[in-house]
Amino acid sequence: MPEPLVGKRIVLGVSGGIAAYKAIDFASKLVQLGADVHAILTASACEFVQPLSFAAITHNSVHTSVFEGWEGEHSGHVTLAATADLVIVAPATANSIAKIAGGFADDMLGAVLLATQAPILIAPAMEHRMWHHAATQANLETLRSRGVRVISPEAGRLASGAAGDGRLAAVDRLLAEARCVLGAGGVLNGKRIVITSGGTHEPIDPVRFIGNGSSGAMGNALAQAAMDAGAEVTLIAGPTVATLPIGVTPVRITTALEMQSAVQAAIVDADALIMAAAVADFRPAHPSEHKLKKNPDENTQQLELVKNPDIIAGISQPGLVKVGFAAETDDLIANATQKLQAKGLDLIVANDAVATIGASHSQATLLIPGHEPESLAEMSKEDLAGVIVARLAEIFARQVIS
Ligand SMILES: Cc1cc2nc3c(=O)[nH]c(=O)nc-3n(C[C@H](O)[C@H](O)[C@H](O)COP(=O)(O)O)c2cc1C
């Protein structure tokens, strides 16, 4: 599966703000995701955090001066700049932002930023008024106009105790931005993918519904894998999905009919639709406006159900690649093959409904028209998402050829 951080050389610039301690956690997460992290600390950053912390976490030397020794293959800022896949400044102080915008090279961070051709991410963190100051905003505008990506800070409690704008973006957001930059140019580069995720709730009355245990793990994993491969993702998620991956365009729905409308709106300019959601096949025909009361004389309760539309079968948009899921309890391959043909799909992922719904792993078979079934080993949903993304990229490649 695409792992955009694995083996990537990331230069992490840390400047002298109170949020510098968060950069230690960020460095650690980058390393855990397989990145080769090289930290540069400004002189002010060393007032807040120790270079040793970064050295211990990254297993690499930490750079604090542009005048460090040029030994062997290592030519100081020139080597760091030339070998970086990505440079991230987190936290970026108002002072560092001004210096970078002005092109100053009086420390290692400034010199590397001038010398590199790698993409640059800047995550500002400062006091509310410093953030909103016209000078800071103008400097950031200058940087954006040069292609630097700015990860806007968040609102909340600041170090002073006051509430305002200027908190360093959460580490998860920093990671998502880094993945996104490194994923650009991947096998789904420039593709727009619509993915549905989780289960729907079909109301019986204002407080009850028919639902299922789908967690949205597969849809979320697909969304992340597609973004890691360079795609833009719209994720249409049901109420059972707790959190969505950072970076998707999120669309929240509750019922199957809402999901159908959301899908129809989202696919207009999309290249592929992946229906990973567990959409209810039926909904109560007459949901009550009031909470249904228990009748003491009745031991049974009748509930009339009507069929929900088959969302993906009802879509025929020229050029749109359609990927479906078949979660079955019996005759898996026969049922999945029938669905593949009946719904006009380009790929169907067949798996055991009981084993897969709500689980972290899945054992799936991929069916593509004109190809032999591909039976996969049991693997995590993240790994399965990577395989599906690879097959999707192959389908796009065949579209170009034919
Ligand atoms: C306790 C303390 C906290 C600070 N926090 C920040 C901050 O969060 N953001 C910021 O832009 N500057 C902050 N500063 C000011 C910077 O440390 C100062 O502008 C310094 O020159 C930045 O140097 P550098 O950009 O080279 O790292 C803080 C200063 C102190 C004393």
Side-chain angles (χ1 to χ4, degrees):
M1 74 179 272
E3 284 286 358
L5 288 165
V6 172
K8 291 289 160 46
R9 211 172 147 96
I10 294 182
V11 170
L12 173 61
V14 182
S15 56
I18 196 71
Y21 76 94
K22 297 181 183 173
I24 301 174
D25 182 32
F26 181 41
S28 171
K29 297 268 167 44
L30 287 170
V31 171
Q32 288 171 48
L33 287 166
D36 177 25
V37 179
H38 296 260
I40 300 175
L41 271 59
T42 65
S44 302
C46 295
E47 299 287 330
F48 292 85
V49 285
Q50 290 292 317
L52 181 60
S53 304
F54 290 90
I57 277 169
T58 64
H59 305 166
N60 284 317
S61 318
V62 175
H63 309 273
T64 55
S65 165
V66 75
F67 299 112
E68 67 186 18
W70 285 36
E71 288 152 15
E73 302 281 287
H74 182 72
S75 308
H77 62 283
V78 180
T79 305
L80 274 172
T83 55
D85 292 302
L86 173 65
V87 182
I88 311 175
V89 187
T93 57
N95 176 64
S96 281
I97 290 167
K99 283 174 63 179
I100 300 164
F104 286 81
D106 62 351
D107 63 8
M108 184 58 123
L109 182 58
V112 167
L113 285 165
L114 285 185
T116 194
Q117 290 195 311
I120 298 171
L121 277 173
I122 288 202
M126 63 201 70
E127 190 273 328
H128 180 88
R129 286 203 176 82
M130 290 173 91
W131 167 248
H132 284 290
H133 196 284
T136 304
Q137 291 303 319
N139 289 330
L140 287 167
E141 215 31 62
T142 300
L143 292 174
R144 283 194 194 96
S145 72
R146 293 183 194 143
V148 171
R149 201 160 155 149
V150 177
I151 308 173
S152 55
E154 296 173 359
R157 188 183 184 280
L158 304 174
S160 62
D165 301 326
R167 278 173 68 87
L168 180 68
V171 166
D172 281 352
R173 262 186 71 213
L174 302 181
L175 288 171
E177 293 281 351
R179 289 178 88 118
C180 183
V181 171
L182 291 167
V187 290
L188 294 185
N189 189 28
K191 297 290 182 195
R192 290 164 192 250
I193 316 285
V194 177
I195 300 173
T196 66
S197 181
T200 58
H201 283 177
E202 309 299 326
I204 297 170
D205 68 16
V207 293
R208 302 184 181 94
F209 54 82
I210 296 177
N212 61 64
S214 169
S215 64
M218 192 67 237
N220 280 4
L222 277 164
Q224 186 64 63
M227 287 191 293
D228 286 349
E232 273 178 43
V233 174
T234 299
L235 187 56
I236 302 172
T240 60
V241 191
T243 55
L244 309 189
I246 296 167
V248 300
T249 302
V251 182
R252 282 291 191 174
I253 56 85
T254 302
T255 67
L257 291 180
E258 287 171 12
M259 181 168 280
Q260 182 185 39
S261 306
V263 167
Q264 284 167 347
I267 57 166
V268 171
D269 56 358
D271 300 292
L273 167 65
I274 307 179
M275 285 289 299
V279 184
D281 290 331
F282 294 92
R283 66 181 183 278
H286 308 290
S288 169
E289 282 182 23
H290 308 284
K291 183 172 176 251
L292 295 174
K293 292 256 181 286
K294 220 187 318 184
N295 183 340
D297 302 328
E298 300 279 356
N299 284 331
T300 59
Q301 168 85 44
Q302 296 293 322
L303 190 61
E304 190 189 346
L305 301 177
V306 287
K307 222 185 213 173
N308 273 326
D310 186 326
I311 298 174
I312 200 163
I315 287 168
S316 90
Q317 181 173 301
L320 181 79
V321 173
K322 296 200 295 180
V323 179
F325 276 71
E328 305 282 345
T329 52
D330 308 289
D331 298 326
L332 181 63
I333 301 303
N335 282 326
T337 307
Q338 192 274 331
K339 280 186 182 172
L340 181 74
Q341 288 157 0
K343 299 178 189 223
L345 304 182
D346 299 277
L347 164 63
I348 196 161
V349 184
N351 49 21
D352 184 294
V354 178
T356 195
I357 288 187
S360 62
H361 282 60
S362 181
Q363 195 276 305
T365 300
L366 306 186
L367 303 174
I368 295 175
H371 289 67
E372 286 296 309
E374 182 182 8
S375 181
L376 302 170
E378 181 171 328
M379 59 180 79
S380 70
K381 288 183 175 173
E382 286 74 21
D383 286 344
L384 177 58
V387 177
I388 295 168
V389 159
R391 295 297 165 273
L392 184 58
E394 288 162 16
I395 293 170
F396 283 133
R398 285 198 289 273
Q399 267 186 339
V400 174
I401 293 164
S402 60

